Amino acid sequence: MRKTLEPLRQEAISNWQKLQNFDKPIIMVGAATCGRASGALDVMHAIGDKLKELDIEAIVRQVGCVGMCHSEVLVDIIKPGRPRITYANITPDLSKELVEDYLVHENAREDLAICVSDDTPEDDLQVRVVMRNCGHIDPNSITDYLAQDGYMGLAKALEMTPQEIIDEVKESGLRGRGGGGFPAGRKWESCLRVDADQKYVICNADEGDPGAFMDRSVLEGDPHSVIEGMAIAGYAIGATKGILYVRAEYPLAIRQLKIAIEQAKERNLLGKNILGSGFDFELDIFQGAGAFVCGESTALVLSIEGRRGMPKPLPRPRTSEEGLWGKPTLLNNVKTFACVAQIIHRGTDWFKSIGTENCPGTAVFALTGKINKSGLIEVPMGIQLEKIINDIGGGVAGGRAFKAVQTGGPSGGCLPPEMLNLPVDFDSLTAAGSMMGSGGMVVMDDTTCMVDVARYFLEFSLEESCGQCTPCRAGTEQMLTILNDISQGKGREGDIDLLVEMGEAIIDGSICGLGQSAPNPVLSTIRYFREEYEAHIRNKECPAKACKELITYTIDAEKCSACGRCLKACPSEAITGAKKTPHAIDAEKCDKCGICFTECPDRFAAIQITTGRTENSN
């Protein structure tokens, strides 16, 4: 089969080399959803207009997201015989300047450049496996993908037996990247062993965690990597049909996938008798409605079948044995499938050389929160949290103190500063009371109240609960009531122990992963920040000065310059004062929005925030 693929591959390599050796400049614009939200399409139009105005011939290409969301819009320019230069925070006006300065006047505009490289810009700590092509190739060009060894894994797999493929996946140690970390090879093998007239492969791209967008980014920037992985899986388990379950909120990803599927069909990489192997594999897209619970495998399957998406009650057969339409169904995440083709093509030793013994490969995180450099990162399993936050993320924003990091999305746990040396992998995070989850990573500084954080994430889980089982439906609501009371100064002795007891009961009694993990933010914050809960309950104090009901705003008369900025900005007209007269806040009218604190110039710092029983009683 590799011989059958070779003509396509050689043509693609030839085109790629022509592009790299083109005698005109190449301009690449990061135009995934994050880039477009920052104005990437306007930048592209501005570049096109300027090139036309200056009568410059150049190739302008759209590429996917390289991960540096903190620097969007990103523009790369490669002049003939010169290294690639990456420019950050480019606006339409800046892009016009850049075109004229660099392409006409040889001024490379070092003031706008962040990286000079022959490859995709990245730091030394990141390793690109899943995102290797994102920001590097045109996602709408199958020849770009073929030139990067695309579909070599599929061609090789078609020369192997299904069991040999599964043995390779098992030997690689690949664990599902959807969050659970279940060994992928074992799941594939259980599907292979079931005798059925029809089997299915489903890619779970129902990325529902707030702030997580790595699956979307892969689908937008390198859709063929997922298609190739699914085709290999289909051949390995004996499935002829695959479904990409993508949430409808990802229109660009869906569009890129549709284009990629058609391109693969045209080149006999999908459809009937793929590469002359006799193997048939059709691929369709199903658009999910955006329910968080549909990330659970049985709920996702019911959703495709046209029924309400909710987890099946226990006991239930595994999806790999009885899934879509009652047939054996292999369900893996976007990133899992994106790894498979490279494992087959490059071998298990290569994959196992990255990461740790029990967790080979890489992890992709959406790094966000109080961090200087937010965006997507891909790191080897086992890297320490401290390196991610300080070396890759640039440390806590505003120079404030690091307080905690939450991993795993809304169901993940919050880890304190003393855990910064923790290696990041499935087992270490679980042992620490958190989880890998889908890959969300939220950094918090010393202004973050951990009770409020737990309340926020539990509220999300409650809203997204399908309501089917009582522990999840009623238990999370009761826990949220207690947390609301604590954050409003109504907490009582015994509430902390009650929260722990209820959390453990919900974990034991819920029927799906959402309920079983919903209490994690509460339990982990109690485990590592119990003193904050105690301060809220016993002293009616919010140490982070974040809970509205427990803080008071006042103006220090000796510091107040009577500039009037706070008075003018106050939306509740709670501030009184006059020219040369120190201002004051009427506590009865103050709604504690904090606008006065923001408006007061740092050189005066006259707005004071106090908390606790003593201050409130004054």
Side-chain angles (χ1 to χ4, degrees), residues 584-597:
I585 298 176
D586 183 340
E588 294 295 323
K589 292 183 178 180
C590 178
D591 65 0
K592 303 175 184 178
C593 64
I595 290 178
C596 57
F597 185 83

Side-chain angles (χ1 to χ4, degrees), residues 497-514:
D497 292 337
L498 182 58
L499 284 171
V500 172
E501 184 180 348
M502 293 178 71
E504 292 173 346
I506 292 170
I507 291 172
D508 290 340
S510 297
I511 66 171
C512 81
L514 188 151

Side-chain angles (χ1 to χ4, degrees), residues 519-535:
N520 281 347
V522 182
L523 297 180
S524 66
T525 50
I526 290 176
R527 177 178 176 182
Y528 295 117
F529 301 93
R530 189 182 183 99
E531 69 281 0
E532 283 204 31
Y533 282 82
E534 293 172 344

Side-chain angles (χ1 to χ4, degrees), residues 370 389-390 396-397 400-406 414-420 442-453 525 528-533 536 542-546:
K370 307 289 182 63
I389 295 168
N390 292 331
V396 179
R400 300 202 67 94
F402 170 81
K403 185 170 187 177
V405 59
Q406 193 213 31
C414 298
L415 304 175
E418 51 266 34
M419 303 294 286
L420 279 175
V442 183
V443 176
M444 305 168 196
D445 66 15
D446 57 352
T447 65
T448 306
C449 171
M450 303 314 294
V451 176
D452 191 50
V453 165
T525 50
Y528 295 117
F529 301 93
R530 189 182 183 99
E531 69 281 0
E532 283 204 31
Y533 282 82
H536 280 70
C542 175
K545 299 178 180 177

Side-chain angles (χ1 to χ4, degrees), residues 178-378:
F182 188 80
R186 282 172 54 191
K187 183 185 281 189
W188 288 33
E189 190 164 50
S190 65
C191 253
L192 173 66
R193 287 177 176 172
V194 180
D195 187 24
D197 59 347
Q198 179 64 59
K199 298 179 184 178
Y200 296 96
V201 174
I202 296 177
C203 176
N204 184 351
D206 190 50
E207 193 171 43
D209 288 3
F213 53 96
M214 57 287 289
D215 291 353
R216 188 205 72 209
S217 187
V218 173
L219 295 176
E220 291 177 348
D222 194 17
H224 284 287
S225 66
V226 182
I227 292 171
E228 184 181 2
M230 292 183 70
I232 292 172
Y235 176 73
I237 68 165
T240 58
K241 295 182 179 177
I243 296 173
L244 282 143
Y245 189 100
V246 189
R247 53 179 42 220
E249 295 97 322
Y250 287 178
L252 182 60
I254 292 169
R255 186 172 76 85
Q256 308 292 57
L257 280 169
K258 287 180 177 176
I259 293 171
I261 289 171
E262 288 305 312
Q263 291 175 338
K265 285 180 178 177
E266 291 169 1
R267 288 161 178 79
N268 191 217
L269 297 166
L270 282 177
K272 300 289 185 184
N273 191 26
I274 294 175
L275 294 175
S277 64
F279 168 58
D280 303 339
F281 192 68
E282 302 287 343
L283 202 52
D284 293 316
I285 298 171
F286 184 94
Q287 297 186 39
F292 182 74
V293 74
C294 283
E296 198 274 342
S297 60
T298 59
L300 185 150
V301 164
L302 289 175
S303 173
I304 295 175
E305 292 175 347
R307 294 188 276 176
R308 180 180 174 187
M310 53 197 300
K312 290 182 178 179
L314 294 169
R316 60 194 174 210
R318 294 181 183 276
T319 306
S320 56
E321 298 166 348
E322 187 179 317
L324 185 62
W325 311 116
K327 302 295 184 181
T329 301
L330 174 66
L331 196 150
N332 276 137
N333 172 267
V334 168
K335 300 182 288 294
T336 310
F337 285 123
C339 287
V340 166
Q342 294 187 74
I343 291 172
I344 299 300
H345 173 54
R346 304 178 71 170
T348 56
D349 288 343
W350 162 77
F351 190 72
K352 291 165 68 175
S353 70
I354 306 167
T356 67
E357 181 177 355
N358 291 328
C359 299
T362 60
V364 183
F365 288 103
L367 185 60
T368 186
K370 307 289 182 63
I371 191 83
N372 280 314
K373 297 180 180 178
S374 60
L376 294 183
I377 63 169
E378 183 168 8

Side-chain angles (χ1 to χ4, degrees), residues 64-291:
C65 174
V66 75
M68 296 190 293
C69 302
H70 54 87
S71 296
E72 296 284 3
V73 175
L74 291 163
V75 173
D76 293 80
I77 299 181
I78 306 174
K79 291 185 73 173
R82 309 280 183 85
R84 169 177 175 165
I85 303 179
T86 302
Y87 296 95
N89 301 310
I90 298 301
T91 63
D93 289 342
L94 283 175
S95 70
K96 292 179 181 178
E97 290 181 20
L98 195 54
V99 168
E100 183 162 354
D101 289 347
Y102 189 31
L103 301 189
V104 177
H105 303 301
E106 291 292 333
N107 175 4
R109 293 297 303 265
E110 293 180 1
D111 58 315
L112 301 175
I114 58 169
C115 180
V116 178
S117 168
D118 290 329
D119 205 344
T120 305
E122 60 185 33
D123 54 66
D124 294 339
L125 294 173
Q126 296 200 54
V127 177
R128 290 179 178 272
V129 174
V130 174
M131 296 179 62
R132 70 186 179 109
N133 289 328
C134 294
H136 185 54
I137 67 171
D138 179 351
N140 291 331
S141 170
I142 191 172
T143 57
D144 273 18
Y145 183 70
L146 284 164
Q148 314 303 318
D149 292 338
Y151 289 101
M152 287 288 283
L154 175 61
K156 182 180 178 182
L158 294 176
E159 295 172 346
M160 302 165 67
T161 67
Q163 187 61 56
E164 287 174 339
I165 295 170
I166 289 172
D167 288 344
E168 284 275 296
V169 177
K170 288 172 65 177
E171 175 61 23
S172 74
L174 176 66
R175 297 171 68 169
R177 264 39 179 178
F182 188 80
R186 282 172 54 191
K187 183 185 281 189
W188 288 33
E189 190 164 50
S190 65
C191 253
L192 173 66
R193 287 177 176 172
V194 180
D195 187 24
D197 59 347
Q198 179 64 59
K199 298 179 184 178
Y200 296 96
V201 174
I202 296 177
C203 176
N204 184 351
D206 190 50
E207 193 171 43
D209 288 3
F213 53 96
M214 57 287 289
D215 291 353
R216 188 205 72 209
S217 187
V218 173
L219 295 176
E220 291 177 348
D222 194 17
H224 284 287
S225 66
V226 182
I227 292 171
E228 184 181 2
M230 292 183 70
I232 292 172
Y235 176 73
I237 68 165
T240 58
K241 295 182 179 177
I243 296 173
L244 282 143
Y245 189 100
V246 189
R247 53 179 42 220
E249 295 97 322
Y250 287 178
L252 182 60
I254 292 169
R255 186 172 76 85
Q256 308 292 57
L257 280 169
K258 287 180 177 176
I259 293 171
I261 289 171
E262 288 305 312
Q263 291 175 338
K265 285 180 178 177
E266 291 169 1
R267 288 161 178 79
N268 191 217
L269 297 166
L270 282 177
K272 300 289 185 184
N273 191 26
I274 294 175
L275 294 175
S277 64
F279 168 58
D280 303 339
F281 192 68
E282 302 287 343
L283 202 52
D284 293 316
I285 298 171
F286 184 94
Q287 297 186 39

